[in-house]
Amino acid sequence: MSFLPRGPVVVREAEAEVTGAAPVAVRLLADASATGGALSTQRVTLGPGAEGAVPHYHRGSAELFFVLDGALRVLTGEEVVAAGPGDVLVVPPRTAHAFAAAPDAGADVLVVLAPGVERFGYFRLLAQVADGRATRAELLASQDRFDNYFLHSDVWRADRERCGVSSGRGR
């Protein structure tokens, strides 16, 4: 893996592709192919209570969450952590995690996977599932390709119920 083989990566906000729409929008910033495999990164904007990702894990990448604004709830292993503006949370590989905005606030979050995995196709597929152009079976079949393995978490489900929202669709 060679990191940043062509120099710096610059992504202008106006040029970044956006998938989804309120209450969950994902701005695709830099994929692994653009960073020489160093990382992949997205900016996720969530409406109040919106779920950004259902419980899952990554075999080979750590996932970093940097809260730019709002209030975020993150499942990490067997606990749910609350995070606010300026907070950083790093979830190690093979650790169950999920995230959502707090029920009374939205959240704006920078998400980074390192080392990078080609993820833009994953977010495009999620948008297709949401609007009926792809099926949940297609999403499940993509787990190896995108290093994104779904799982069940009673801890996450209980936290979502305590917050008065249901767990369901996410990235």
Side-chain angles (χ1 to χ4, degrees), residues 17 19 30 34 44 53 61-62 79 84 87 117 124 127 129 136 140 151-152 157 170:
E17 178 183 348
T19 65
V44 181
S61 297
E79 72 174 305
D87 290 349
V117 174
R124 292 178 187 123
V129 170
R136 179 129 174 97
L140 293 173
L151 49 82
H152 176 79
R157 180 178 298 234

Side-chain angles (χ1 to χ4, degrees), residues 3-27:
F3 295 105
L4 303 175
R6 291 163 278 187
V9 175
V10 178
V11 179
R12 304 288 179 203
E13 181 178 7
E15 298 168 358
E17 178 183 348
V18 177
T19 65
V24 180
V26 179
R27 185 173 302 279

Side-chain angles (χ1 to χ4, degrees), residues 60-145:
S61 297
E63 191 160 8
L64 176 144
F65 300 89
F66 176 70
V67 182
L68 300 165
D69 194 24
L72 192 69
R73 299 190 63 73
V74 181
L75 169 72
T76 178
E78 291 296 317
E79 72 174 305
V80 176
V81 177
D87 290 349
V88 172
L89 186 118
V90 179
V91 178
R94 299 186 178 271
T95 302
H97 60 286
F99 68 97
D104 57 348
D108 192 10
V109 185
L110 182 68
V111 179
V112 179
L113 255 68
V117 174
E118 288 295 305
R119 300 274 291 167
F120 287 9
Y122 174 74
F123 294 105
R124 292 178 187 123
L125 179 58
L126 276 179
Q128 291 170 353
V129 170
D131 70 15
R133 292 179 292 142
T135 66
R136 179 129 174 97
E138 289 173 274
L139 183 63
L140 293 173
S142 75
Q143 292 181 106
D144 285 336
R145 178 177 168 207

